[in-house]
Amino acid sequence: MSPGAGTALLAAAAAAALLTDRLWAVGAITAVLLVVCLRAPAQRRWPYLIGALTSGLGVLLLSPLLWSSGSGTLLWEGPTIPVVGVLDVSTDEIRIGAVNGLRLAAVGLAFAAYALLLDHDRLVSGARFARRSALAVALATRLVPTLERDAAGLSEAVRGRGVELSGARGYATLLSPLVAGSLERASCLAEAMEARGFGRPGATRMPRAPWTVMDKVAVALAAALVGVAAWLR
Amino acid sequence: MRVDGLSFAYPGAAWALCDVSLEIREGEVVALLGPSGSGKSTLVRALAGLVPHFHGGRFAGCVEVAGLDTRRTRPADLAGTVATVFQDPEDQVVMALVTNEVAFGLENVGVPATEIVLRVEAALGRVGAGHLAAKRTTTLSGGELQRVCLASALALEPRLLLLDEPTSQLDPHGAEEFLAAVAELGCAAVLSEHRIDRALSLADRVLYVEEGRVLLDAPVDEAQSWLVTNRPRYAASPSDVDDALCYRNTESGSVRPVVKLERVSFAYGSTSVLEDVSLEVRGGEIVVLEGPNGSGKTTLAKLAAGLLEPDVGRIERFGRAAYLSQDPGRYLVKERVLDEVAFGVGGNVGRARGALDQFGLGWAAERHPRDLSSGERERLGLAATAVCEPDLLVLDEPTRGVDPDRKTAIGDWLLARAAAGTAVVVATHDRTLPAHRRMRLGGEVPVAA
């Protein structure tokens, strides 16, 4: 499948998850996206999966406590917290929390599938307009594994000096050097791109492969998915 | 290509280049030599137009490439006429697939679509990387990636090829192959390189730069005589250096082992890197780990330092270990040089100042580590590791991208550490470093007779 069609399908899945408020539908979309993500190599997929699934789980767990729907069966009532109000959990809040959590997980997984499985180069070269923006998105997508590698290198460098990092506070000390390092890397890349003529008028593109039947089916499916999700609201 | 009275200073800094004048003729290969921080990289960037356009700063004089004045022509517009390969391939790769990476420059300079595919194939073939065409750039080794970068430059069919320490990430075999590919090109090239023997064997002419000034501009034969007289470390052949620096003391090292690895195996996922390896390092002994890229030197070094645990086998350490990673300048944690060094000793500023002085960085104590040059950062990494005063010192490629003067200083420092009783393990391709034993992964070779 061409990356353009793949992107359309993933974007449609994410949009459908946001459009529909039926738990089973959002759950099904999330499950399918999870299966798709599991096709990526294990070493690369875990940060994306952890990010997407923990965010979804966080919403699922916190949302019923912090938000009151005023309907459904009240299952538990806790203390009153300043600013937040009364902590309570009802069946309706759990259902809505589950929908929102799954929505967030679905959007995260759609991005994960985009980052892990699609050929961003072909997506960039296939862009008929805003090629610079498409390239920026492709480079930003590749930032995740680079940051992961840099973080591992930093942690190793620190441990190599006999300093053990522990807890969130310990690892938080690496955040600033990580950002500084990635900015430095970005500057080097920008210099290399300039030296290779990026931004010069009159750019051409390598010939692209024509769309296959599968690509056309995928785009049709993407449109149908969004339509059905809107209808199911 | 003509440079006339070029002087340049980065914003807020002293002059990096002072009154440089030179000419490079069609097809001529020029070796650019000089210590770290002498202005070699700045000169390369000036020839590419990146100085002053990308970096800003004070610029005087004139650089003309194929009749184009770089003050009035942007680097992107010089692309095609000039092509540059930088030191670290990871910092210059834009695309995810090799074919697309090589095509990137061709697309930018407007080569017709039908011609792009042909030129990509030809360029990859010229550097012996045709088999990599369909691979993802993230899966390539450093050597393979640097070849792809060279192919990307060659595909542009430039009149002037600029190579800024392009082999610093490669093992000796990879570097030989890379430079052999450069020798085949036929276009004018400027090669900034610390592997001097190789640079000289390839060059027609030598430029020696120091403190931003060109001290020598001469044909290779004449340059070699000048180097022997004036900068002998830049003239020594590798075999000479080996003999000069090998630490020939068979009685060296105490009987006390500092680290013992017994029948150790290690794999990253399903990829086995080390199998059934044993090594014992005693206090006062320098053991060098050798082998090509991917042979497991770094993994063995990390196992010795306790940063990795073996899948099979046993490791015993008797004392404190410290480890200096490859490219330490990339992994700086603090925002002040002094704090960076004090970090490993619980903030002890006194010890940190001592270590900085030892590595000639006392003057930089209050500066931000990322404001230092790459060579200075390497030294900062060494200072930050040395300050821990470990019983076992493990260094991974400590001389990569380091000039001959600094290499000698590092060698002397290792000998001093060993004499003080520290066990030293060095993973390196560099045979000029002193060693009591060299362990080629797969077989141990005693150096001293």
Side-chain angles (χ1 to χ4, degrees):
Chain A
M1 189 187 300
S2 82
T7 305
L9 203 51
L10 289 171
L18 293 172
L19 279 172
T20 184
D21 50 10
R22 304 211 178 192
L23 184 59
W24 64 266
V26 189
I29 292 169
T30 309
V32 169
L33 286 169
L34 182 61
V35 170
V36 171
C37 286
L38 290 176
R39 290 179 58 203
Q43 282 167 325
R44 290 185 62 218
R45 73 188 178 211
W46 70 265
Y48 293 91
L49 294 187
I50 286 177
L53 297 177
T54 52
S55 315
L57 192 65
V59 170
L60 169 64
L61 294 176
L62 293 177
S63 152
L65 283 171
L66 303 177
W67 176 73
S68 283
S69 70
S71 58
T73 308
L74 188 66
L75 299 175
W76 176 78
E77 190 166 348
T80 303
I81 305 286
V83 182
V84 175
V86 180
L87 289 184
D88 62 5
V89 177
S90 71
T91 50
D92 199 39
E93 287 161 10
I94 289 177
R95 190 190 66 77
I96 292 168
V99 169
N100 287 335
L102 286 169
R103 277 176 174 163
L104 188 59
V107 172
L109 290 170
F111 174 76
Y114 164 80
L116 292 167
L117 297 169
L118 293 185
D119 178 354
H120 306 114
D121 290 2
R122 284 177 63 201
L123 200 60
V124 172
S125 62
R128 288 169 197 275
F129 57 90
R131 187 167 180 261
R132 281 186 185 212
S133 305
L135 183 61
V137 171
L139 287 171
T141 308
R142 295 222 319 263
L143 192 67
V144 177
T146 309
L147 279 177
E148 191 194 333
R149 210 170 48 230
D150 283 351
L154 269 172
S155 159
E156 209 167 69
V158 168
R159 285 173 58 216
R161 290 192 237 164
V163 179
E164 282 301 326
L165 296 170
S166 58
R169 203 171 186 181
Y171 282 95
T173 57
L174 299 184
L175 213 60
S176 161
L178 196 60
V179 172
S182 60
L183 287 174
E184 202 170 38
R185 197 187 281 278
S187 169
C188 291
L189 184 63
E191 185 183 25
M193 286 170 70
E194 172 113 30
R196 292 171 69 187
F198 184 67
R200 188 161 137 171
T204 51
R205 275 180 286 170
M206 203 157 57
R208 284 169 288 144
W211 273 34
T212 62
V213 175
M214 195 179 177
D215 295 330
K216 290 170 187 166
V217 170
V219 171
L221 195 64
L225 193 60
V226 174
V228 170
W231 177 67
L232 276 176
R233 268 181 73 85
Chain B
M1 209 270 330
R2 189 174 64 84
V3 178
D4 194 10
L6 170 65
S7 295
F8 176 75
Y10 290 100
W15 291 103
L17 293 174
C18 301
D19 197 24
V20 172
S21 296
L22 58 106
E23 270 189 30
I24 298 171
R25 288 174 286 276
E26 205 78 44
E28 191 174 37
V29 177
V30 176
L32 184 55
L33 308 181
S36 299
S38 60
K40 300 191 301 294
S41 291
T42 305
L43 182 55
V44 165
R45 279 162 172 74
L47 300 179
L50 293 163
V51 159
H53 290 286
F54 188 83
H55 294 276
R58 289 173 289 160
F59 185 98
C62 164
V63 178
E64 257 184 34
V65 179
L68 299 167
D69 187 334
T70 62
R71 285 171 301 182
R72 284 184 281 277
T73 314
R74 291 198 59 81
D77 296 321
L78 283 171
T81 309
V82 181
T84 313
V85 178
F86 296 96
Q87 190 173 346
D88 190 343
E90 283 195 21
D91 285 347
Q92 51 193 308
V93 169
V94 181
M95 308 303 270
L97 287 178
V98 167
T99 304
N100 297 344
E101 176 63 21
V102 180
F104 178 73
L106 297 170
E107 291 177 331
N108 290 334
V109 301
V111 171
T114 48
E115 207 182 308
I116 291 176
V117 179
L118 299 174
R119 278 169 71 167
V120 167
E121 283 173 4
L124 284 170
R126 279 177 84 180
V127 299
H131 61 290
L132 303 176
K135 289 203 170 183
R136 297 186 82 83
T137 49
T138 48
T139 64
L140 303 185
S141 70
E144 288 172 333
L145 205 53
Q146 195 62 302
R147 275 163 174 262
V148 171
C149 292
L150 180 62
S152 305
L154 295 187
L156 292 166
E157 297 175 2
R159 292 178 65 186
L160 176 63
L161 180 65
L162 302 171
L163 304 160
D164 188 9
E165 294 181 29
T167 67
S168 64
Q169 311 282 323
L170 309 184
D171 62 30
H173 180 67
E176 293 285 359
E177 285 191 341
F178 182 91
L179 293 177
V182 172
E184 302 280 309
L185 301 182
C187 66
V190 175
L191 173 63
S192 167
E193 182 63 59
H194 284 312
R195 300 185 196 219
I196 291 148
D197 51 310
R198 297 197 180 98
L200 293 182
S201 68
L202 192 68
D204 302 308
R205 221 170 90 216
V206 177
L207 286 176
Y208 182 86
V209 183
E210 214 170 82
E211 294 178 351
R213 294 180 187 279
V214 176
L215 300 190
L216 169 77
D217 180 357
V220 172
D221 292 344
E222 197 181 312
Q224 275 181 324
S225 311
W226 185 90
L227 290 169
V228 167
T229 311
N230 297 287
R231 298 291 183 275
R233 286 193 183 117
Y234 287 80
S237 71
S239 55
D240 292 342
V241 177
D242 259 359
D243 288 342
L245 288 182
C246 277
Y247 189 43
R248 292 182 176 279
N249 181 358
T250 50
E251 299 305 315
S252 62
S254 69
V255 290
R256 178 180 64 91
V258 175
V259 65
K260 273 170 83 173
L261 293 88
E262 287 175 37
R263 311 199 67 176
V264 165
S265 298
F266 187 88
Y268 291 101
S270 58
T271 311
S272 174
V273 182
L274 291 172
E275 273 188 49
D276 204 23
V277 175
S278 296
L279 172 68
E280 181 178 302
V281 188
R282 290 164 293 161
E285 186 180 38
I286 303 172
V287 175
V288 164
L289 307 178
E290 293 183 336
N293 285 349
S295 60
K297 298 188 301 296
T298 295
T299 303
L300 188 56
K302 285 180 182 174
L303 284 166
L307 294 176
L308 293 175
E309 289 298 322
D311 298 331
V312 180
R314 209 158 69 103
I315 300 178
E316 282 183 285
R317 259 177 304 279
F318 308 93
R320 244 159 56 93
Y323 172 82
L324 181 70
S325 63
Q326 284 185 30
D327 204 2
R330 203 182 270 287
Y331 302 122
L332 301 166
V333 184
K334 296 291 182 181
E335 293 183 6
R336 194 170 63 139
V337 165
L338 188 63
D339 297 335
E340 184 71 36
V341 179
F343 185 54
V345 284
N348 188 327
V349 172
R351 278 173 71 180
R353 282 195 193 280
L356 283 173
D357 288 338
Q358 189 182 4
F359 286 89
L361 287 172
W363 59 270
E366 301 302 320
R367 294 184 64 176
H368 195 291
R370 291 184 191 275
D371 284 343
L372 303 184
S373 72
S374 60
E376 289 161 351
R377 285 195 203 184
E378 297 273 345
R379 277 146 62 195
L380 176 58
L382 279 167
T385 310
V387 73
C388 303
E389 294 181 359
D391 303 291
L392 171 65
L393 183 62
V394 183
L395 308 172
D396 195 357
E397 296 289 0
T399 59
R400 198 172 67 175
V402 171
D403 66 55
D405 290 325
R406 185 48 51 188
K407 267 187 203 178
T408 308
I410 291 174
D412 292 344
W413 176 69
L414 288 181
L415 288 173
R417 294 302 318 159
T422 307
V424 181
V425 175
V426 189
T428 185
H429 299 302
D430 187 348
R431 289 192 67 90
T432 65
L433 277 178
H436 296 107
R437 281 186 290 145
R438 293 186 192 278
M439 180 178 179
R440 195 160 185 84
L441 291 180
E444 194 169 323
V445 183
V447 166

